[in-house]
Amino acid sequence: MRSKDGFTLIELIAVLIIIGILSLGATFGLSHIVRSSLFTEENIKATLESQNMTRLFIQLSFIKTVVSITSDSIACTLEYPDGTSQNISIEAPSDTSFTYFGSDASTVVSVPADVRIIRINMLVAAAEGITKTFSTDVAPYRLNDG
């Protein structure tokens, strides 16, 4: 006569298969959560990097005179609305460059006295290897006026 104290082999295999299926579903769910978290983290870094463009735009808008220019820096005198002035060298962050134009915004210039418009070019790396290039033009309203 057979004892009813244990489980049959078929019952144990069925339970193991069910546990395996549930584990597989949980693994896919967790991997999706981790991937979404990494995607969000990379996009937050890209957003913080792009805020450098706003900072540069504001800084460059106060230029009174340009002393020297390169593709990654500009030495200049800033004049603030309260009348104070400051000699400063503005360095472009990594993956950022400056292009300098005359008054028509189509002629690239290399002489500091001819600069009227400064283009900020920024390469931002986002999630999943996506890179975007952003550009904005700054025409400092006090540049070289009397």
Side-chain angles (χ1 to χ4, degrees):
M1 204 156 141
R2 193 172 144 201
S3 170
K4 298 274 184 182
D5 291 345
F7 297 104
T8 66
L9 183 59
I10 303 256
E11 291 171 331
L12 290 174
I13 291 173
V15 167
L16 288 175
I17 289 172
I18 291 171
I19 289 173
I21 291 171
L22 291 174
S23 297
L24 184 64
T27 301
F28 284 131
L30 285 176
S31 69
H32 178 69
I33 290 170
V34 169
R35 184 174 175 189
S36 296
S37 173
L38 293 174
F39 184 84
T40 302
E41 182 180 348
E42 289 179 33
N43 282 333
I44 287 171
K45 287 179 186 175
T47 301
L48 292 174
E49 284 179 31
S50 66
Q51 288 178 351
N52 281 329
M53 183 174 278
T54 302
R55 179 188 58 80
L56 286 171
F57 184 90
I58 292 169
Q59 230 178 358
L60 294 174
S61 66
F62 291 113
I63 291 178
K64 173 75 172 171
T65 55
V66 177
V67 178
S68 67
I69 55 177
T70 66
S71 64
D72 62 351
S73 70
I74 181 169
C76 57
T77 302
L78 304 180
E79 185 177 289
Y80 299 104
D82 64 0
T84 59
S85 296
Q86 178 183 19
N87 294 327
I88 190 169
S89 178
I90 300 171
E91 304 292 326
S94 63
D95 296 327
T96 304
S97 64
F98 299 129
T99 308
Y100 306 97
F101 297 95
S103 58
D104 62 358
S106 64
T107 307
V108 177
V109 297
S110 58
V111 179
D114 295 338
V115 173
R116 295 293 177 269
I117 297 170
I118 304 162
R119 178 168 293 153
I120 307 168
N121 305 299
M122 179 176 281
L123 181 68
V124 177
E128 297 182 346
I130 298 170
T131 56
K132 288 282 199 178
T133 302
F134 297 95
S135 296
T136 188
D137 291 346
V138 182
Y141 65 96
R142 289 191 168 107
L143 185 62
N144 294 324
D145 59 306

